Amino acid sequence: MEVNPLSVILVKSDSKGDRLLFRYPFRFLEKNEPANTKRRNPYTLPNLEDLLQSPTQPTSNINKGHLTGFTDEVLSSLFAVKSELCNNKFELKVNDVRFVGHPTLLQLRNKQQDASGLMLINVVFALQALASHSVVTCYHDLSKRVGIALRYEEKRCGYVSEQTQTMTTAHDDGYTGNSESAFETILTKCTLAKNIKKLYEDLCSTGLVNIQINKWITLSFCLPQKVHQWHLRGKFVEPKDIDRCLKALRPYHSLLLLHPIQQMADFTGLDGSPSLERMLKQYSPIKNLQTLAADADLTLHHVFELTAHLVYWAKATVIFPICLTNKYVIAPDAPIHLNSPLIDKFSEAFPTANLIRVISDFALPTSLGQKCNPLCHPAQQSHLVQTIIWMLQHHLLLQLHTYVQYMPTDHGLAVPREKDERLVSQRNIGNVLSSSSYHPSTSEHSRAESESGTSTVSETPELRSESDLINRSINLENVSFTSVEDEKQDYQEELLLDFPDEERGNIFKIPATNNPEDLRLFARLCRKGYFHGNHHIEEIMYLENLRRSQLLQLLDKFRDVLITYETEDPAIAMFSYT
Amino acid sequence: MENTGYVLNNFDHTSQEGPIRCIFFCEFHPTAGPIISCQEPEQYISKELFDSISVYIITKAELQKSTITVTLSDYKILGFPVRIDDKKYPRNAYHFNLCLVCDSNVRTVHYEPVVIKLSDYLMAMEIESSFLSDGKAATKLAPILKQVIEELNTKGECALTEGPTATHLKVVHVRSDPAPVADHQVPVFIKPLPDQQWDLTTQQVAPYIDGFNHVARIAALSDVENNLVKACVQNLVYYGVVALVPLFQYGNVYCTTPQLNILAHDVNLQNKCLKYVAVSQRQLPNFRDVFRMFAAMTRGTTMRDLCLRFNPANLRINERKLVQIGVLEGLIRRVHKYPILLSDTSELQKSLSGAANLDEICCATGVATQQLEDQLERDHNIVLLWK
């Protein structure tokens, strides 16, 4: 595993010189030496010729996942950097080991306030050189945080002077040549050494670090490349993947916790944010973020931030809220086979069901609505929803969305329009956290009204309340009512304005253009750029206050120029797709 | 748009590559300590900066002959410290290090062999003729360093013929190892095979790589041992000449990926696609038809169904090529069927455990897909997972 640290090293440098105070793990170094040296055959001829041009063997400083080949003195001389490089990122690669740290200068509490009272402290992580750039950045961040905490503790109560003093004494007292016993002593005496040990062990096991420095400052840190391993084995989730997912977050998405809600208590207790607790109280996987925000009485923006936090710390993932029309299929990399541990885990959660039987129903795109008929017992339905939630939590299912591509002529779009590009870039770059920024249309207001009206209704965990839809349709009728007086000629005029001739000709061949309402809706959606494959129909429904049936009818009527295809939402599918 | 979909996986595209900004030679002066004695271009690395990092360049004895890269906020400096022990030197040893400087955000791993080889070359010259230590190193080195930096940055290779020995430097890009090749995979050329003397196996295998023969079949046709074919194809995959696609059959099922969106907007990709899928180059198919066929690929729709629905020959589309470019560009993805046996007959459970898909099973057992599928369908204990 290339994200695990090989070693954590603590180096100080002050007026008395530099010294490696502690490293963890320290038990390995001594034992491997005899194993490496092969017995020489006394009869071999020494190879004397061509010493110069002989290819140098690539030397390795990693032995069975541990750092080897450096003495403590060499390490301390490398990490006790010159003052020019202090308080900056420190990155050094030697052969196949990469060292990352953040050398921190701190003013010792009981010394005078000049250069002689300064101490450099550097917590260095030894990583494999293969570790990606983002992993290195994360470790640097961790080292920086430890440095800041230590600087503060030194200022508050002289913690660092005391700890380094104990460590130095242990080194001086311990008989020279065997640093192991000195490290042993340090580990029992120094809390800072214990912290480093815990740091190393946490990073290697879960990737979640939670330590108390000097029993005062809490340092919590999450290594995303590691922490997501427990639910996505073998896949490295990079921070930028998470960022991309969070940038694409929309109010209609919903939060899916990966743990039972009861287990979240220790996480929230640690974090201490009351709004997070408030949100979790209202949590349900069938509520979208907007409803969740309304129920928890938080701003949408804040709910987005909390979601981002939970996703980053691998406590939750983002899905489209579970409703009757959602189509699911088996995720392409779902690790389902007879020896999979998931099968037992599933039968523990649902004793009567078999995971393979259950999931095989999703071999073809299947919606919840298709699976439960009206005669279905409510208990059965909730069981079904529970199994789907379980499978989504384990990334076994993928939701398919329908995307629409406007293709008016035989060779695609008549002219590539700037408008598309603008829309695309807006979607990618624009600050999506504020939902209204990307569609400042009139419909936005009407939607907001209707949403706030229904948010109380949807508190009951139903699958997408009907009244919501009715409300929306009423709104829509109001909108279309005002425009009925216009005549067909006007709509054609409207289209004439900005559609290229060739496209217009093809559109008017469709019989549905004779119906002014259809044509108007088509023109409106087209002009807003919904038909360029960037919006799935649920998103269009949400943004434009449309009913599914309305939209599907329109797509059917204009199927000569609108091509639909089904695929996953790239923004939120990344956590299950390799 | 050359490198998308399957091709992309072979390259580590997350980190950038960049040119060498500077190359400098530094040595340990008996009185002045570590100094830069020659630099190209001059004054790129300042004296102050060098002093703060000289500990990583003229190193302790234990770090000799190690590649050391130090990353600063603006630069990345890559070196390979060397020490030559000899009584003739003032301190009984001569230390030097030839370093490359790049921008701090680029990869430098691929320059490591160059630095090692160049250091070895200088070391050989020093031992033979005291090339570096006779006091005139700077004037002699300057043209060499200039040549190295210029040629490595433009051509990626450089031949040095100074002195009694010649040496050839070449920047070899580090790529990740290609995955093992399986019997049922189909190699496709994604660029023409470079015109050079290939090994015998490749010469024999290459004519049968037509994008439709799978590896086992190529082995049979070319009369080359199966594992040799796999090794050869894997080698070609490594060099990005060949990509592997799933076997084409009319019973296959494909599904669209979010990448399909790109096809609708990228005119270059559209043209490439049209040329690729056309039955005859004289009359290209309609793009709308091509897109429509891609869009119609969903789970549960076999290629046979699609051909019946669209009649691709009428639309001047070659459906096999259509699937090929779709898979290569990552617009579509093959949906495999994984049979799982849920009864207790242990014999069959090994092959029908859900770990192997139908293609693999068919290829291993030599049974026709249709026949196997019919048989599996009849058994109620068998569950077919599509994924």
mmCIF file of all heavy atoms in Angstrom, chain A residues 543-563:
data_model
loop_
_atom_site.group_PDB
_atom_site.id
_atom_site.type_symbol
_atom_site.label_atom_id
_atom_site.label_comp_id
_atom_site.label_asym_id
_atom_site.label_seq_id
_atom_site.Cartn_x
_atom_site.Cartn_y
_atom_site.Cartn_z
ATOM 1 N N LEU A 543 -35.336 21.774 -12.188
ATOM 2 C CA LEU A 543 -35.030 23.174 -12.457
ATOM 3 C C LEU A 543 -36.190 23.895 -13.131
ATOM 4 O O LEU A 543 -36.337 25.099 -12.983
ATOM 5 C CB LEU A 543 -33.783 23.275 -13.336
ATOM 6 C CG LEU A 543 -32.476 22.871 -12.664
ATOM 7 C CD1 LEU A 543 -31.371 22.806 -13.688
ATOM 8 C CD2 LEU A 543 -32.121 23.847 -11.566
ATOM 9 N N GLU A 544 -36.966 23.159 -13.896
ATOM 10 C CA GLU A 544 -38.002 23.816 -14.675
ATOM 11 C C GLU A 544 -39.402 23.546 -14.148
ATOM 12 O O GLU A 544 -40.381 23.860 -14.835
ATOM 13 C CB GLU A 544 -37.906 23.370 -16.129
ATOM 14 C CG GLU A 544 -36.691 23.924 -16.844
ATOM 15 C CD GLU A 544 -36.717 25.443 -16.916
ATOM 16 O OE1 GLU A 544 -37.778 26.003 -17.285
ATOM 17 O OE2 GLU A 544 -35.702 26.073 -16.591
ATOM 18 N N ASN A 545 -39.505 22.888 -13.001
ATOM 19 C CA ASN A 545 -40.828 22.603 -12.453
ATOM 20 C C ASN A 545 -41.702 21.829 -13.417
ATOM 21 O O ASN A 545 -42.840 22.215 -13.687
ATOM 22 C CB ASN A 545 -41.533 23.903 -12.081
ATOM 23 C CG ASN A 545 -41.415 24.152 -10.604
ATOM 24 O OD1 ASN A 545 -41.235 23.211 -9.837
ATOM 25 N ND2 ASN A 545 -41.501 25.411 -10.234
ATOM 26 N N LEU A 546 -41.170 20.784 -13.965
ATOM 27 C CA LEU A 546 -41.951 19.994 -14.912
ATOM 28 C C LEU A 546 -42.300 18.656 -14.284
ATOM 29 O O LEU A 546 -41.632 18.192 -13.377
ATOM 30 C CB LEU A 546 -41.131 19.742 -16.179
ATOM 31 C CG LEU A 546 -40.860 20.939 -17.062
ATOM 32 C CD1 LEU A 546 -39.940 20.542 -18.175
ATOM 33 C CD2 LEU A 546 -42.166 21.450 -17.614
ATOM 34 N N ARG A 547 -43.364 18.049 -14.841
ATOM 35 C CA ARG A 547 -43.681 16.710 -14.406
ATOM 36 C C ARG A 547 -42.971 15.735 -15.316
ATOM 37 O O ARG A 547 -42.700 16.010 -16.477
ATOM 38 C CB ARG A 547 -45.180 16.468 -14.452
ATOM 39 C CG ARG A 547 -45.867 16.874 -13.182
ATOM 40 C CD ARG A 547 -47.324 16.570 -13.265
ATOM 41 N NE ARG A 547 -47.965 17.326 -14.338
ATOM 42 C CZ ARG A 547 -49.218 17.150 -14.702
ATOM 43 N NH1 ARG A 547 -49.936 16.219 -14.125
ATOM 44 N NH2 ARG A 547 -49.743 17.870 -15.664
ATOM 45 N N ARG A 548 -42.691 14.563 -14.775
ATOM 46 C CA ARG A 548 -41.994 13.564 -15.575
ATOM 47 C C ARG A 548 -42.769 13.251 -16.848
ATOM 48 O O ARG A 548 -42.206 13.204 -17.946
ATOM 49 C CB ARG A 548 -41.808 12.296 -14.754
ATOM 50 C CG ARG A 548 -41.076 11.177 -15.462
ATOM 51 C CD ARG A 548 -40.899 9.995 -14.543
ATOM 52 N NE ARG A 548 -40.010 10.318 -13.461
ATOM 53 C CZ ARG A 548 -38.678 10.182 -13.529
ATOM 54 N NH1 ARG A 548 -38.118 9.714 -14.616
ATOM 55 N NH2 ARG A 548 -37.932 10.495 -12.512
ATOM 56 N N SER A 549 -44.097 13.068 -16.705
ATOM 57 C CA SER A 549 -44.890 12.676 -17.871
ATOM 58 C C SER A 549 -44.826 13.761 -18.946
ATOM 59 O O SER A 549 -44.696 13.466 -20.134
ATOM 60 C CB SER A 549 -46.331 12.429 -17.453
ATOM 61 O OG SER A 549 -46.824 13.585 -16.831
ATOM 62 N N GLN A 550 -44.881 15.006 -18.503
ATOM 63 C CA GLN A 550 -44.806 16.122 -19.449
ATOM 64 C C GLN A 550 -43.525 16.078 -20.255
ATOM 65 O O GLN A 550 -43.519 16.202 -21.478
ATOM 66 C CB GLN A 550 -44.779 17.417 -18.626
ATOM 67 C CG GLN A 550 -45.959 18.285 -18.782
ATOM 68 C CD GLN A 550 -45.776 19.512 -17.898
ATOM 69 O OE1 GLN A 550 -45.206 19.417 -16.805
ATOM 70 N NE2 GLN A 550 -46.276 20.629 -18.351
ATOM 71 N N LEU A 551 -42.442 15.895 -19.527
ATOM 72 C CA LEU A 551 -41.146 15.911 -20.174
ATOM 73 C C LEU A 551 -40.989 14.702 -21.094
ATOM 74 O O LEU A 551 -40.498 14.825 -22.222
ATOM 75 C CB LEU A 551 -40.054 15.927 -19.104
ATOM 76 C CG LEU A 551 -38.642 16.206 -19.580
ATOM 77 C CD1 LEU A 551 -38.599 17.508 -20.341
ATOM 78 C CD2 LEU A 551 -37.701 16.279 -18.394
ATOM 79 N N LEU A 552 -41.431 13.542 -20.606
ATOM 80 C CA LEU A 552 -41.290 12.340 -21.430
ATOM 81 C C LEU A 552 -42.105 12.466 -22.705
ATOM 82 O O LEU A 552 -41.678 12.043 -23.780
ATOM 83 C CB LEU A 552 -41.710 11.102 -20.638
ATOM 84 C CG LEU A 552 -40.753 10.698 -19.512
ATOM 85 C CD1 LEU A 552 -41.256 9.469 -18.785
ATOM 86 C CD2 LEU A 552 -39.356 10.462 -20.045
ATOM 87 N N GLN A 553 -43.300 13.064 -22.578
ATOM 88 C CA GLN A 553 -44.114 13.280 -23.781
ATOM 89 C C GLN A 553 -43.398 14.182 -24.774
ATOM 90 O O GLN A 553 -43.369 13.905 -25.964
ATOM 91 C CB GLN A 553 -45.447 13.928 -23.389
ATOM 92 C CG GLN A 553 -46.514 12.925 -23.043
ATOM 93 C CD GLN A 553 -47.754 13.606 -22.506
ATOM 94 O OE1 GLN A 553 -47.940 14.810 -22.730
ATOM 95 N NE2 GLN A 553 -48.579 12.849 -21.818
ATOM 96 N N LEU A 554 -42.813 15.213 -24.239
ATOM 97 C CA LEU A 554 -42.104 16.153 -25.114
ATOM 98 C C LEU A 554 -40.948 15.450 -25.817
ATOM 99 O O LEU A 554 -40.751 15.595 -27.025
ATOM 100 C CB LEU A 554 -41.574 17.325 -24.284
ATOM 101 C CG LEU A 554 -40.888 18.405 -25.113
ATOM 102 C CD1 LEU A 554 -41.907 19.352 -25.695
ATOM 103 C CD2 LEU A 554 -39.871 19.159 -24.282
ATOM 104 N N LEU A 555 -40.205 14.667 -25.044
ATOM 105 C CA LEU A 555 -39.079 13.947 -25.631
ATOM 106 C C LEU A 555 -39.567 13.008 -26.714
ATOM 107 O O LEU A 555 -38.911 12.831 -27.743
ATOM 108 C CB LEU A 555 -38.338 13.157 -24.551
ATOM 109 C CG LEU A 555 -37.621 13.964 -23.482
ATOM 110 C CD1 LEU A 555 -36.914 13.053 -22.500
ATOM 111 C CD2 LEU A 555 -36.640 14.916 -24.105
ATOM 112 N N ASP A 556 -40.728 12.412 -26.477
ATOM 113 C CA ASP A 556 -41.256 11.486 -27.470
ATOM 114 C C ASP A 556 -41.698 12.228 -28.725
ATOM 115 O O ASP A 556 -41.420 11.819 -29.844
ATOM 116 C CB ASP A 556 -42.410 10.703 -26.849
ATOM 117 C CG ASP A 556 -42.826 9.558 -27.750
ATOM 118 O OD1 ASP A 556 -41.924 8.805 -28.172
ATOM 119 O OD2 ASP A 556 -44.021 9.444 -28.066
ATOM 120 N N LYS A 557 -42.361 13.339 -28.530
ATOM 121 C CA LYS A 557 -42.862 14.099 -29.679
ATOM 122 C C LYS A 557 -41.717 14.635 -30.525
ATOM 123 O O LYS A 557 -41.809 14.691 -31.745
ATOM 124 C CB LYS A 557 -43.723 15.264 -29.199
ATOM 125 C CG LYS A 557 -45.121 14.841 -28.778
ATOM 126 C CD LYS A 557 -45.889 16.039 -28.261
ATOM 127 C CE LYS A 557 -47.206 15.591 -27.641
ATOM 128 N NZ LYS A 557 -47.720 16.604 -26.715
ATOM 129 N N PHE A 558 -40.659 15.026 -29.876
ATOM 130 C CA PHE A 558 -39.539 15.611 -30.613
ATOM 131 C C PHE A 558 -38.394 14.613 -30.778
ATOM 132 O O PHE A 558 -37.246 15.001 -30.852
ATOM 133 C CB PHE A 558 -39.039 16.875 -29.902
ATOM 134 C CG PHE A 558 -39.977 18.035 -30.038
ATOM 135 C CD1 PHE A 558 -41.003 18.228 -29.141
ATOM 136 C CD2 PHE A 558 -39.830 18.925 -31.090
ATOM 137 C CE1 PHE A 558 -41.879 19.283 -29.276
ATOM 138 C CE2 PHE A 558 -40.705 19.989 -31.218
ATOM 139 C CZ PHE A 558 -41.734 20.168 -30.313
ATOM 140 N N ARG A 559 -38.727 13.320 -30.796
ATOM 141 C CA ARG A 559 -37.657 12.319 -30.794
ATOM 142 C C ARG A 559 -36.802 12.362 -32.057
ATOM 143 O O ARG A 559 -35.705 11.823 -32.073
ATOM 144 C CB ARG A 559 -38.228 10.917 -30.589
ATOM 145 C CG ARG A 559 -39.144 10.432 -31.686
ATOM 146 C CD ARG A 559 -39.673 9.044 -31.364
ATOM 147 N NE ARG A 559 -40.621 8.636 -32.393
ATOM 148 C CZ ARG A 559 -41.911 8.932 -32.368
ATOM 149 N NH1 ARG A 559 -42.415 9.622 -31.356
ATOM 150 N NH2 ARG A 559 -42.713 8.555 -33.340
ATOM 151 N N ASP A 560 -37.328 13.017 -33.130
ATOM 152 C CA ASP A 560 -36.511 13.104 -34.343
ATOM 153 C C ASP A 560 -35.285 13.991 -34.143
ATOM 154 O O ASP A 560 -34.267 13.800 -34.803
ATOM 155 C CB ASP A 560 -37.347 13.661 -35.501
ATOM 156 C CG ASP A 560 -38.362 12.634 -35.943
ATOM 157 O OD1 ASP A 560 -38.167 11.451 -35.623
ATOM 158 O OD2 ASP A 560 -39.354 13.018 -36.594
ATOM 159 N N VAL A 561 -35.395 14.955 -33.262
ATOM 160 C CA VAL A 561 -34.234 15.838 -33.035
ATOM 161 C C VAL A 561 -33.642 15.686 -31.645
ATOM 162 O O VAL A 561 -32.592 16.243 -31.365
ATOM 163 C CB VAL A 561 -34.588 17.326 -33.267
ATOM 164 C CG1 VAL A 561 -34.881 17.589 -34.733
ATOM 165 C CG2 VAL A 561 -35.736 17.744 -32.384
ATOM 166 N N LEU A 562 -34.337 14.951 -30.795
ATOM 167 C CA LEU A 562 -33.801 14.761 -29.445
ATOM 168 C C LEU A 562 -33.461 13.290 -29.250
ATOM 169 O O LEU A 562 -34.328 12.436 -29.362
ATOM 170 C CB LEU A 562 -34.821 15.186 -28.379
ATOM 171 C CG LEU A 562 -35.196 16.656 -28.350
ATOM 172 C CD1 LEU A 562 -36.269 16.891 -27.282
ATOM 173 C CD2 LEU A 562 -33.993 17.516 -28.078
ATOM 174 N N ILE A 563 -32.210 13.005 -29.000
ATOM 175 C CA ILE A 563 -31.791 11.624 -28.796
ATOM 176 C C ILE A 563 -31.531 11.420 -27.319
ATOM 177 O O ILE A 563 -30.843 12.218 -26.678
ATOM 178 C CB ILE A 563 -30.518 11.314 -29.606
ATOM 179 C CG1 ILE A 563 -30.779 11.596 -31.074
ATOM 180 C CG2 ILE A 563 -30.086 9.883 -29.398
ATOM 181 C CD1 ILE A 563 -29.585 11.406 -31.958
#
